[in-house]
């Protein structure tokens, strides 16, 4: 299943792929594979990656704000 996900990510234009260290061999792709042991390691890795040009930080929308009475 991991092989098909790698191929799909490459087809969709992704350049990087974070995968579990325990996953087996990956197919040959142009993707840069980054292997992690834990989800928190993956989140830390994502925080350190540069943001793509033109991206914006997610901000809560007006409808998602909590109104206290």
């Amino acid at each position: 299943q991991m092989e098909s996900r790698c191929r799909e990510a490459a087809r969709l234009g992704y350049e990087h792929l974070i995968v579990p260290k325990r996953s087996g061999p990956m197919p040959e792709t142009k993707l840069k594979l980054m292997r992690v042991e834990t989800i928190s390691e993956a989140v830390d890795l994502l925080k350190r990656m540069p943001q793509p040009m033109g991206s914006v930080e997610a901000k809560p929308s007006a409808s998602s704000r909590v109104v206290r009475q």
Side-chain angles (χ1 to χ4, degrees):
Q1 192 174 31
M2 189 61 74
E3 287 185 33
S4 63
R5 289 181 178 168
C6 287
R7 282 193 287 275
E8 180 73 3
R11 186 183 70 77
L12 292 172
Y14 287 92
E15 297 175 357
H16 300 86
L17 190 62
I18 299 174
V19 298
K21 279 189 179 180
R22 287 186 247 159
S23 59
M26 297 290 158
E28 287 292 320
T29 67
K30 294 180 180 180
L31 296 170
K32 178 180 178 185
L33 296 178
M34 296 170 282
R35 296 181 179 264
V36 296
E37 289 186 17
T38 64
I39 291 175
S40 63
E41 188 179 343
V43 170
D44 289 341
L45 181 63
L46 286 170
K47 287 179 181 178
R48 291 192 310 263
M49 293 183 75
Q51 296 296 313
M53 295 280 298
S55 67
V56 294
E57 251 184 68
K59 295 181 182 175
S61 65
S63 63
S64 67
R65 292 189 186 130
V66 176
V67 177
R68 296 184 183 172
Q69 297 181 5

